[in-house]
């Protein structure tokens, strides 16, 4: 099941561009977005992630230990690579929960910047999303249910994501590994692989 906390301890090389799943049938919703954070007045642990193409997304730190780095990114105004989990918001907005931060590759950094607190991203890092879950195909889009791992005694409702596009041959209830890209507040289906024909 989806477990963001384990990402912090994986080898950096495995994060290029997205880390492999922890096991073949892991549920997850993981993306990589390049951009900068800008503050939202009178809020705490909230910001707007302005992507490299100018699209804006409400963003929050996904773990308590990211509060400091999150605030640093807001104050610096610099561009970073963000590992995120998509979090649909009311009104159709695509929210992003930030789970790890990497600096731009060294050759892209401004030499006048202060020393970076984050490790640099690999040179060939690219944006993208990997969604692994139970599909329900519709006309022109696919709903994906991503089960989330409990934390102690705390249970989380499954994450419901909508991917625009067609998934040929897909049947409701199957478990798929899907690749997607963002376009505004939408996630567009790029490719997919069926992993299980039915999930209880």
């Amino acid at each position: 099941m989806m477990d963001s906390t384990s990402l912090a301890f994986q080898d950096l090389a495995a994060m290029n561009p997205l880390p492999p799943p922890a096991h073949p049938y892991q549920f997850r919703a993981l993306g990589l977005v390049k951009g900068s954070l800008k503050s939202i007045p009178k809020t705490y642990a909230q910001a707007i992630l302005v992507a490299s193409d100018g699209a804006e997304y409400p963003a929050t730190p996904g773990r308590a230990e990211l509060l400091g780095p999150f605030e640093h990114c807001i104050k610096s105004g610099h561009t970073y690579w963000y590992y995120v989990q998509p979090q649909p918001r009311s009104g159709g907005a695509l929210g992003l929960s930030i789970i790890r931060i990497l600096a731009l590759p060294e050759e892209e950094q401004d030499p006048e910047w202060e020393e970076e607190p984050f490790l640099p991203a690999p040179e060939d890092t690219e944006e993208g999303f990997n969604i692994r879950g139970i599909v329900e195909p519709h006309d022109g889009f696919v709903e994906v249910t991503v089960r989330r791992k409990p934390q102690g005694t705390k249970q989380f409702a499954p994450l419901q994501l909508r991917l625009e596009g067609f998934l040929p041959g897909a049947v409701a209830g199957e478990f798929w590994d899907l690749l997607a890209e963002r376009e505004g507040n939408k996630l567009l289906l790029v490719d997919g692989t069926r992993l299980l024909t039915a999930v209880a």
Side-chain angles (χ1 to χ4, degrees):
M1 293 187 180
M2 188 167 60
D3 181 5
S4 62
T5 58
S6 63
L7 290 173
F9 307 103
Q10 294 190 12
D11 184 80
L12 177 62
M15 305 289 286
N16 181 30
L18 292 174
H23 56 79
Y25 306 118
Q26 178 190 12
F27 285 81
R28 76 172 182 182
L30 178 64
L32 184 58
V33 177
K34 183 180 182 181
S36 59
L37 292 182
K38 68 177 183 179
S39 64
I40 301 175
K42 300 180 180 179
T43 66
Y44 175 70
Q46 298 182 54
I48 297 295
L49 197 166
V50 183
S52 54
D53 61 358
E56 298 188 353
Y57 305 93
T60 56
R63 302 193 303 271
E65 57 266 34
L66 279 176
L67 283 170
F70 186 85
E71 290 298 320
H72 168 84
C73 294
I74 294 173
K75 291 176 181 178
S76 74
H78 294 169
T79 298
Y80 295 102
W81 280 102
Y82 295 96
Y83 280 90
V84 299
Q85 291 176 343
Q87 304 282 344
R89 303 287 185 92
S90 59
L94 177 61
L96 300 175
S97 175
I98 294 171
I99 58 176
R100 185 169 180 177
I101 305 166
L102 295 177
L104 296 183
E106 292 180 356
E107 67 277 7
E108 294 183 41
Q109 294 179 13
D110 185 334
E112 296 184 2
W113 284 4
E114 70 272 17
E115 184 176 346
E116 278 292 355
F118 310 117
L119 291 173
E123 294 180 15
D124 54 352
T125 301
E126 297 180 357
E127 286 200 9
F129 287 80
N130 179 216
I131 312 297
R132 296 168 59 90
I134 301 169
V135 302
E136 184 177 333
H138 296 271
D139 186 15
F141 67 97
V142 180
E143 289 184 346
V144 187
T145 299
V146 182
R147 295 177 182 171
R148 297 193 279 182
K149 186 177 181 179
Q151 293 184 7
T153 59
K154 190 174 182 179
Q155 301 286 329
F156 298 94
L159 187 63
Q160 303 289 340
L161 297 175
R162 173 176 169 140
L163 274 58
E164 304 295 328
F166 297 91
L167 196 57
V171 176
E174 295 178 333
F175 184 86
W176 281 69
D177 183 328
L178 306 168
L179 297 178
E181 60 186 17
R182 61 176 181 82
E183 183 179 278
N185 282 305
K186 296 180 178 180
L187 291 176
L188 306 183
L189 182 61
V190 175
D191 199 2
T193 302
R194 179 190 290 109
L195 299 180
L196 290 173
T197 55
V199 177

